[in-house]
Amino acid sequence: MQHLKDREVGVMFWADRDHLARIKAFGVRCGQLGIPGSMDLNATAEADWKAAIEQEHFVIGTVFAAYNGESYADIPTVEQTVGFVPRSSRDAREKRTRQVSDFAAALGVKSIGCHIGFVPEDRSNPEYVAVRDLVRRLADHAAKNGQTFALETGQEPAAALLSFFEDVDRPNLGINFDPANMILYGTGDPIEALDVLGKHVISVHCKDGDWPPMGQPGALGNERPLGKGAVGMERFVAKLKEVGYKGPLVIEREAENQEERMIDIGAAVELLKRITNAQA
Ligand code: MG
C-alpha cells in the first residue's frame, strides 16, 4: 500500500469505475468509496473493485454505506428516511451494513461509515435505545472485520453526538467529521465542534455549504463548491492540524450533475493542495 502524507487530499466517489479513473487524473491517490443502496454486493462486484483499486494504486480509507429509500430533501424528510432511525427499514439496513462491512473487508478496507440519522436525545426513549444497540452490534461486526465504524456528523449538535458516541461505548467507533453538514442543518459552528469531537475524528469530508435560509423552518442550506460556502476551508484545515488529525482530507461534492460534480472536484483538489502547502 502507498504511504500517504499527513492530511493528503482525497476524494469520495460512488462505486463507478469511470469516476475512479477521473479522480486519479486529478493527481489524487486516496479517498472513500460510497456504496449505493441498490448496488449488488456479490462476488463479481468484490473481484471487480478489488482489481480496480489495485490497478489504480488507489487507497480506500473508508467504505460508506447509503440505503435505499433515503432522501435529503429537507430536515423532516431526513428524519423520516435517513439511517437507522426509521423503524420500518431498520432491520434491513442493519443487514445491509453488515454486508457493506464484509464487502469492504474483501477489499482490504479498514473502516466503514454511514449516516445513522437523527438520533433522539432522550436516553430513555425506546427508539434511542434501539438505535444505540444497533450501532453497538454494527461496531462489533466491523471489529471482527478489523475495521473502525465511523458515524457521520451534522444532523445533531456536537454535544448530542458526543453523548450518543460515549453511550455506545465501543473502542472501534469513530467520527467522520463533515463540517458542511453542521452548517446545512444549522446545528452549530463546525470549527468549535472540532474542539468537542476532535479526539474521536478518524476521517473527514471536505465539503462546503450555506446556512439554512431564514424564515423557512425545516429547510436545509445549499451545498456549495468547496471554498464557496460558509465553512472557511483554511480555518477548517488549520483546526484539523491543531487537533492532531493526520488522515486524508476527503473531498465530498454532492451536485446532481456529474459533469458539474467532476469540475468542482477538480477545483477543490487544487484549492486544498494550495491550502495544505501554505500551512505545511
Ligand atoms: Mg459527508
Side-chain angles (χ1 to χ4, degrees):
M1 190 179 278
Q2 299 200 59
H3 182 69
L4 301 176
K5 294 184 294 189
D6 287 355
R7 293 174 298 283
E8 176 151 337
V9 178
V11 174
M12 162 138 191
F13 65 104
W14 293 89
D16 180 314
R17 188 70 176 76
D18 176 53
H19 287 180
L20 176 57
R22 292 183 69 178
I23 288 160
K24 274 292 304 269
F26 293 132
V28 169
R29 307 187 293 173
C30 63
Q32 296 179 333
L33 172 63
I35 304 292
S38 57
M39 183 173 160
D40 195 353
L41 297 177
N42 54 26
T44 309
E46 261 179 34
D48 286 352
W49 277 99
K50 202 162 190 262
I53 58 181
E54 275 166 17
Q55 273 164 21
E56 300 283 2
H57 301 288
F58 197 84
V59 179
I60 303 285
T62 316
V63 169
F64 254 84
Y67 307 100
N68 286 331
E70 290 185 309
S71 167
Y72 292 84
D74 54 28
I75 290 175
T77 308
V78 172
E79 282 173 341
Q80 286 155 24
T81 68
V82 169
F84 305 125
V85 178
R87 214 177 305 152
S88 58
S89 54
R90 195 177 284 152
D91 290 349
R93 289 178 180 179
E94 177 175 358
K95 188 172 165 221
R96 173 71 178 180
T97 312
R98 289 170 192 266
Q99 290 170 347
V100 169
S101 169
D102 296 346
F103 177 80
L107 268 46
V109 176
K110 298 295 182 194
S111 189
I112 59 164
C114 66
H115 281 283
I116 60 170
F118 276 95
V119 178
E121 293 185 27
D122 171 8
R123 287 191 183 195
S124 63
N125 180 328
E127 298 302 306
Y128 173 98
V129 173
V131 173
R132 181 201 61 196
D133 291 352
L134 183 155
V135 170
R136 284 178 176 166
R137 291 192 296 274
L138 289 177
D140 293 343
H141 184 90
K144 283 187 206 143
N145 279 329
Q147 294 161 337
T148 53
F149 180 29
L151 310 182
E152 172 122 359
T153 54
Q155 289 157 357
E156 55 285 297
L161 181 61
L162 182 66
S163 165
F164 178 78
F165 184 93
E166 289 175 344
D167 194 19
V168 173
D169 191 26
R170 286 295 185 271
N172 65 325
L173 196 68
I175 287 170
N176 184 85
F177 191 91
D178 186 325
N181 287 346
M182 305 209 67
I183 289 174
L184 298 175
Y185 288 84
T187 46
D189 180 74
I191 309 305
E192 288 172 20
L194 273 173
D195 284 324
V196 177
L197 300 171
K199 66 173 186 281
H200 302 302
V201 173
I202 56 172
S203 49
V204 302
H205 284 163
C206 291
K207 193 172 83 185
D208 216 338
D210 294 330
W211 292 96
M214 299 283 277
Q216 291 180 46
L220 285 161
N222 281 321
E223 195 223 347
R224 305 267 286 133
L226 208 71
K228 303 272 172 35
V231 171
M233 278 300 139
E234 284 89 352
R235 65 175 195 141
F236 178 55
V237 174
K239 187 71 183 182
L240 286 172
K241 192 175 178 186
E242 185 193 314
V243 301
Y245 177 78
K246 292 186 175 168
L249 304 175
V250 178
I251 294 161
E252 181 183 32
R253 177 69 171 129
E254 296 173 347
E256 291 273 322
N257 181 290
Q258 290 300 344
E259 283 312 305
E260 182 190 346
R261 184 188 290 190
M262 281 298 159
I263 289 166
D264 290 346
I265 287 174
V269 170
E270 292 308 310
L271 173 68
L272 279 180
K273 283 186 174 170
R274 277 202 304 278
I275 292 172
T276 49
N277 286 338
Q279 292 184 5

